[in-house]
């Protein structure tokens, strides 16, 4: 009975395909499958077939509920950041006022010492020591034992022994952004889009919805470039949009006037979980093992 071999047995007289891939030899490019690319009729946020689709001016399509929930969450986050920034400014103002009061008090003390000479002389270093524990010229340091114990303490994880770094809150941006294109996005710039379903006899038995171009009746897929009219929301293939609507300046479905700026090209692809764009290329960096001799030289890239 032959022995059971695994992919990493390394006892063969030749390299297996899996061993070559791990060592970085040969062609490291492969085609992305359908499961790696977002369908054109899927939301960019939930990656599911959209419900009541809405598009931004850059052509990113979202479900109405998803994009409204996203914009609402961004507004709440902006309000939280603004409140934290206002609290920080208030604290900085109070600290500045306290510093000015202390400086004025020190100037008055220095003036009294210079003119009367009854009070003990001290410099800035002695003044800071007075604030930390000295209560007069002839007094002793009250917290000397505690400070010595804190200085030699090994329990650095205690809050009292941990140094605090000042947290600076920058001025937040007050504008919401598109979760896909990262450009500024407002609710009023979104517009609903409408796809034309294929209602032919051969498609009625299919449970999945199939959309077609209302002009040329071509089935819409990821291989086609789609154009939406922002004035009415109807979606066409790019060939029909360039051939008819760009010339006639009118929608082919509802005869509503449209201009060149109303033609929005819908983006292909999706989020970080799906491929994006016309030239899809996914990169995977692998660390080579020490046995290959290349582990500390370069990583092998699979694109």
């Amino acid at each position: 009975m032959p022995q059971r071999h695994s992919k990493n047995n390394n006892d063969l007289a030749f390299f297996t395909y899996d061993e070559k891939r791990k060592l970085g030899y040969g062609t490291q490019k492969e085609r992305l499958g359908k499961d790696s690319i977002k369908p054109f009729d899927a939301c960019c946020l939930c990656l599911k077939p959209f419900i009541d689709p809405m598009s931004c001016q850059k052509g990113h399509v979202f479900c109405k509920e998803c994009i409204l929930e996203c914009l609402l969450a961004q507004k709440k986050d902006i309000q939280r950041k603004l409140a934290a920034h206002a609290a920080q400014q208030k604290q900085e103002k109070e600290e500045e006022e306290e510093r000015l009061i202390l400086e004025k008090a020190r100037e008055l003390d220095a003036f009294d010492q210079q003119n009367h000479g009854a009070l003990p002389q001290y410099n800035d270093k002695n003044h800071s020591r007075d604030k930390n524990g000295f209560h007069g010229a002839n007094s002793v340091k009250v917290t000397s034992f505690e400070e010595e114990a804190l200085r030699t303490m090994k329990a650095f994880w205690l809050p009292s022994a941990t140094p605090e770094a000042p947290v600076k809150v920058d001025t937040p941006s007050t504008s919401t952004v598109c979760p896909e294109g990262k450009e500024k996005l407002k609710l009023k710039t979104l517009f609903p889009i409408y796809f034309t379903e294929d209602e032919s006899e051969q498609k009625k038995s299919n449970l999945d919805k199939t959309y077609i171009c209302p002009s040329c009746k071509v089935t819409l897929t990821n291989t086609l470039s789609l154009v939406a009219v922002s004035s009415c929301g109807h979606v066409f293939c790019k060939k029909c949009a360039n051939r008819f609507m760009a010339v006639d300046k009118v929608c082919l479905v509802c005869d509503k006037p449209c201009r060149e700026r109303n033609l929005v090209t819908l983006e292909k692809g999706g989020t970080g979980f799906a491929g994006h764009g016309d030239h899809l290329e996914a990169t995977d960096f692998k660390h080579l093992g020490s046995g290959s001799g290349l582990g500390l030289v370069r990583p092998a890239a699979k694109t």
Side-chain angles (χ1 to χ4, degrees):
M1 183 176 179
Q3 296 181 357
R4 183 177 180 180
H5 294 277
S6 64
K7 294 188 298 183
N8 301 322
N9 52 8
N10 294 326
D11 61 351
L12 301 176
F14 54 88
F15 274 164
T16 62
Y17 175 73
D18 187 76
E19 291 171 351
K20 288 181 180 180
R21 287 175 61 86
K22 288 184 177 180
L23 290 176
Y25 292 107
T27 303
Q28 297 295 309
K29 291 186 178 181
E30 62 182 6
R31 296 178 66 89
L32 292 175
K34 184 179 179 181
D35 55 344
S36 300
I37 305 174
K38 183 187 77 67
F40 75 94
D41 58 345
C43 173
C44 291
L45 289 175
C46 63
L47 299 181
K48 298 179 181 179
F50 45 59
I51 302 174
D52 297 333
M54 300 189 73
S55 175
C56 65
Q57 297 299 327
K58 296 295 183 179
H60 302 112
V61 183
F62 311 94
C63 297
K64 185 176 181 179
E65 182 180 357
C66 293
I67 189 61
L68 292 182
E69 183 178 355
C70 178
L71 294 178
L72 181 61
Q74 290 187 32
K75 289 183 178 179
K76 290 183 178 179
D77 190 46
I78 290 174
Q79 292 178 357
R80 179 185 60 82
K81 292 181 179 179
L82 288 175
H85 183 66
Q88 176 182 280
Q89 286 185 332
K90 182 179 180 181
Q91 182 179 0
E92 290 179 352
K93 185 177 180 180
E94 292 177 354
E95 291 178 355
E96 182 66 19
E97 292 178 354
E98 183 179 358
R99 186 183 64 83
L100 293 177
I101 293 175
L102 290 177
E103 286 185 357
K104 189 174 182 180
R106 291 177 62 183
E107 290 178 359
L108 292 176
D109 291 344
F111 179 78
D112 292 340
Q113 292 176 13
Q114 184 178 3
N115 288 273
H116 301 286
L119 298 177
Q121 300 289 334
Y122 59 85
N123 52 19
D124 294 340
K125 184 177 180 180
N126 293 332
H127 180 69
S128 62
R129 292 182 62 187
D130 290 345
K131 291 175 59 179
N132 292 333
F134 286 97
H135 303 284
N138 299 324
S139 64
V140 296
K141 196 170 184 180
V142 179
T143 59
S144 59
F145 176 77
E146 296 178 357
E147 288 191 357
E148 181 66 20
L150 184 61
R151 186 174 61 84
T152 59
M153 185 181 297
K154 302 299 182 182
F156 57 86
W157 56 85
L158 295 178
S160 58
T162 304
E164 295 182 359
V167 179
K168 185 70 175 180
V169 180
D170 298 331
T171 305
S173 175
T174 58
S175 59
T176 55
V177 297
C178 176
E180 181 68 14
K182 303 304 179 184
E183 70 273 358
K184 292 183 180 181
L185 179 64
K186 294 183 179 180
L187 184 60
K188 62 181 181 181
T189 60
L190 295 171
F191 61 94
I193 57 177
Y194 306 98
F195 287 85
T196 304
E197 294 188 22
D198 188 2
E199 299 179 354
S200 58
E201 295 294 334
Q202 60 271 18
K203 295 296 182 181
K204 286 184 178 180
S205 59
N206 193 359
L207 297 178
D208 297 333
K209 292 183 179 180
T210 304
Y211 302 103
I212 61 175
C213 175
S215 176
C216 60
K217 308 301 180 182
V218 174
T219 303
L220 302 182
T221 60
N222 274 21
T223 58
L224 296 177
S225 296
L226 307 180
V227 175
V229 185
S230 61
S231 58
C232 60
H234 293 102
V235 179
F236 302 86
C237 65
K238 194 169 186 178
K239 290 183 179 179
C240 296
N242 294 336
R243 183 177 300 178
F244 301 109
M245 289 187 294
V247 178
D248 299 337
K249 308 295 183 183
V250 65
C251 178
L252 301 178
V253 177
C254 59
D255 295 333
K256 189 173 183 179
C258 64
R259 298 182 181 181
E260 189 79 20
R261 63 185 181 184
N262 297 126
L263 302 179
V264 179
T265 303
L266 299 183
E267 290 290 338
K268 298 179 182 179
T271 65
F273 299 98
H276 190 284
D278 295 330
H279 304 284
L280 301 179
E281 183 174 340
T283 304
D284 182 22
F285 291 96
K286 299 181 297 184
H287 177 71
L288 299 179
S290 58
S292 63
L294 301 176
L296 302 178
V297 179
R298 61 174 178 83
K302 183 191 75 173
T303 57

